Amino acid sequence: MAEHKILISREKIAERVSEMGKQITADAKGEPIIFVGVLKGAAIFLSDLVRRVQVDATFEFIGVSTYGNRPTPTQELRYAWDSTGEVRLTKDVDQSLRGKNVVLVEDILDTGFTLTFLKRLLQGHNPKSFRVAVLLDKPSRRKMPVQADYTGFEIPDEFVVGYGLDYAERYRNLPDICVLPNGPQVNEN
Ligand code: IMP
Ligand code: MG
């Protein structure tokens, strides 16, 4: 496994996730919450976050994938992960969110296409309240006018892995958030 530069340590993550849990608890005013995690990247963040929230909580998972973002040799490598905006649902929630307090949990807010799609989809359920928690935000990459209600860390325009985030499905189990040494490569492996 290549050397990874740590951007955010496991200790810093734990501290911030605990603060986010307190904030979500305060905003819930004693009412139950349904957390909706976006597979697969948000799974680790969700599992830590829900244990820091002190109201009744249940969780759901939703799956999305982005069409047509395969890098071509002519594309600049650093932008090989660019979203195209064509988001597709691969797994829906198992229950209606009507009248519920929903917190959508996402690993990273980048261009904003995924979150725009998911907000529209989930708000269509007519929840009582709808908020978004993201662990990471890269505001400089935004293409859609969307933002989270709870943000763990704002980070610069670098490709990060670990704590649930992947590059080609790898590195999700790194305990810290790390920067890939040379950015994402088209032909790694
Ligand atoms: P958006 O639709 O461009 O906002 O992209 C959000 C999705 O892109 C995230 O859920 C991630 O799966 C992926 N993504 C964006 N930036 C990174 C990164 O730096 N590392 C790993 N995945 C990323
Ligand atoms: Mg991903």
Side-chain angles (χ1 to χ4, degrees), residues 30 76 80 84 106 131 158:
E76 225 186 303
T84 61
E106 173 63 308
R131 293 196 174 95
E158 301 210 69

Side-chain angles (χ1 to χ4, degrees), residues 79-162:
Y79 290 91
W81 72 89
D82 259 4
S83 293
T84 61
E86 298 168 83
V87 183
R88 168 175 76 96
L89 192 68
T90 56
K91 188 210 171 295
D92 204 349
V93 289
D94 297 331
Q95 59 170 306
S96 168
L97 306 174
R98 173 181 293 274
K100 305 288 173 63
N101 298 300
V102 174
V103 176
L104 178 68
V105 182
E106 173 63 308
D107 54 1
I108 185 164
L109 180 50
D110 188 36
T111 62
F113 283 116
T114 308
L115 187 56
T116 302
F117 172 86
L118 286 173
K119 271 184 98 163
R120 201 173 297 155
L121 181 82
L122 297 178
Q123 281 176 332
H125 284 244
N126 290 317
K128 179 174 181 188
S129 67
F130 182 80
R131 293 196 174 95
V132 177
V134 299
L135 179 65
L136 303 174
D137 185 3
K138 288 196 260 194
S140 65
R141 296 250 312 152
R142 197 79 84 253
K143 290 180 185 163
M144 298 294 281
V146 64
Q147 58 186 39
D149 301 281
Y150 310 101
T151 300
F153 303 90
E154 285 195 0
I155 62 167
D157 178 9
E158 301 210 69
F159 197 86
V160 291
V161 293

Side-chain angles (χ1 to χ4, degrees), residues 71-82:
T72 66
T74 53
Q75 274 179 311
E76 225 186 303
L77 289 186
R78 292 201 67 232
Y79 290 91
W81 72 89
D82 259 4

Side-chain angles (χ1 to χ4, degrees), residues 44-55:
I44 292 177
F45 173 42
L46 183 142
S47 71
D48 283 345
L49 182 65
V50 294
R51 285 179 285 177
R52 298 297 187 172
V53 170
Q54 283 162 13
V55 292

Side-chain angles (χ1 to χ4, degrees), residues 20-34:
M20 293 174 84
K22 280 189 192 139
Q23 206 185 336
I24 292 171
T25 303
D27 292 347
K29 299 191 166 61
E31 293 189 11
I33 298 176
I34 299 187

Side-chain angles (χ1 to χ4, degrees), residues 2 167-168 170-171 180 183 185-189:
Y167 170 60
R170 295 172 62 197
Y171 312 120
L180 276 187
Q185 299 294 307
V186 174
N187 290 314
E188 220 199 32
N189 288 321

Side-chain angles (χ1 to χ4, degrees), residues 39-41 64 107-108 159 164-169 172:
L39 293 173
K40 303 170 195 166
V64 288
D107 54 1
I108 185 164
F159 197 86
L165 289 116
D166 73 308
Y167 170 60
E169 297 299 328
R172 291 194 198 274

